[in-house]
Amino acid sequence: MSNNIDGKVVVITGASSGLGECTARSLSAKGATVVLGARRVERLEKLVQDIESAGGKAIALATDVTDKVQVETLLKAAVDAFGRVDVLINNAGLMQQSMLESLKVDEWDNMIDINIKGTLYGIAAALPIMKKQKFGHIINVSSIAGHKVTPAGAIYCATKHAVRVISEGLRSEVKPYNLRTTIISPGAVDTELTHHITEKGVAGQIQQFYDEHAIPPSSFASAVEFAITQPANVDINEILFRPTSQEM
């Protein structure tokens, strides 16, 4: 019986670590061909080597999602190499939480550029391909923070709420092209996401919370697989999951 993953061509941004890396390994193990983009080329190359050593198919390109041309090049590489794109996972993301009064404007810009514009660039690169194909699945990564605003999280929460709004707009527009869309909103998952917080007091509190509650990135990979493996006439539009112990 097909698992509805075997043979699919899946493009993943932010694939060099965390959610993206784990999902690439998991999907590849189930027969998907993965096309990987991230800024850290050495990590991508190691990931491709691991996947190929295990009998899988993978290619990787250096991809900064804040650069529209680089995102277009990643999607084009998938089509050139494998003839189509079945799934795009807009996974690249950044969390730099701080109090608004700290005025970390450069960090606000970083999150807007990566979390919002990076997602939009992925959609812009994938839509023409998938419209022509008349099939495809776009998975955008939001967060619990896209549902709930926390102190020190105003800008991050705003970017992740924007991902949900954009995704719902996309869902409503692509019905004529037989496309599926999914928003995945994780809670605390053990990744490098917390490592980019520069405000010491906030960083310490959030890291302690993650140390106590975070679940493995395989939880995210399982959510992705659930969405992908549904029958073609079933569109899983949003998955929100948390550690069982997480209250917020």
Side-chain angles (χ1 to χ4, degrees):
M1 180 181 295
S2 172
N3 61 17
N4 210 23
I5 294 174
D6 188 22
K8 277 198 160 78
V9 177
V10 182
V11 179
I12 306 173
T13 66
S16 61
S17 66
L19 304 181
E21 177 186 356
C22 183
T23 302
R25 293 182 186 275
S26 182
L27 293 177
S28 174
K30 293 175 174 61
T33 295
V34 292
V35 179
L36 310 174
R39 290 179 291 188
R40 293 178 290 187
V41 177
E42 290 183 2
R43 289 197 181 194
L44 284 181
E45 291 174 347
K46 173 64 166 59
L47 179 55
V48 169
Q49 289 173 1
D50 289 349
I51 288 171
E52 290 180 340
S53 296
K57 291 183 182 179
I59 61 171
L61 276 79
T63 306
D64 180 346
V65 299
T66 68
D67 184 330
K68 182 172 74 76
V69 173
Q70 291 189 36
V71 180
E72 290 171 347
T73 301
L74 179 67
L75 273 290
K76 184 177 184 298
V79 175
D80 289 346
F82 306 112
R84 65 186 192 281
V85 175
D86 295 292
V87 183
L88 167 65
I89 305 175
N90 277 316
N91 167 69
L94 181 67
M95 182 174 76
Q96 293 181 300
Q97 299 209 23
S98 64
M99 302 297 286
L100 287 170
E101 65 183 1
S102 299
L103 300 179
K104 291 181 178 283
V105 177
D106 288 345
E107 295 186 358
W108 301 352
D109 288 341
N110 288 340
M111 289 186 284
I112 290 167
D113 287 345
I114 294 173
N115 298 353
I116 300 178
K117 292 172 73 174
T119 298
L120 286 169
Y121 292 159
I123 292 169
L127 263 184
I129 296 167
M130 292 182 176
K131 284 173 63 177
K132 185 177 180 180
Q133 295 173 164
K134 291 285 189 179
F135 63 84
H137 190 170
I138 296 176
I139 298 176
N140 294 328
V141 181
S142 180
S143 170
I144 293 296
H147 297 256
K148 192 160 187 159
V149 182
T150 57
I155 307 305
Y156 178 67
C157 294
T159 64
K160 289 303 187 177
H161 183 72
V163 169
R164 293 181 60 228
V165 173
I166 291 164
S167 300
E168 175 57 15
L170 176 67
R171 182 202 65 78
S172 69
E173 293 180 13
V174 297
K175 299 299 100 180
Y177 311 113
N178 190 39
L179 306 188
R180 302 197 294 181
T181 66
T182 302
I183 309 161
I184 301 184
S185 296
V189 177
D190 185 15
T191 69
E192 297 177 1
L193 198 64
T194 60
H195 299 180
H196 304 287
I197 303 172
T198 62
E199 190 155 317
K200 290 184 179 178
V202 173
Q205 290 177 354
I206 293 177
Q207 189 59 57
Q208 182 179 354
F209 179 83
Y210 272 66
D211 289 343
E212 293 174 358
H213 299 284
I215 52 180
S218 57
S219 59
F220 175 83
S222 295
V224 169
E225 290 169 15
F226 176 77
I228 292 175
T229 55
Q230 298 306 303
N233 63 344
V234 176
D235 192 8
I236 301 296
N237 300 131
E238 185 159 13
I239 298 172
L240 186 156
F241 72 94
R242 300 173 172 92
T244 303
S245 60
Q246 182 173 344
E247 294 180 1
M248 60 166 256

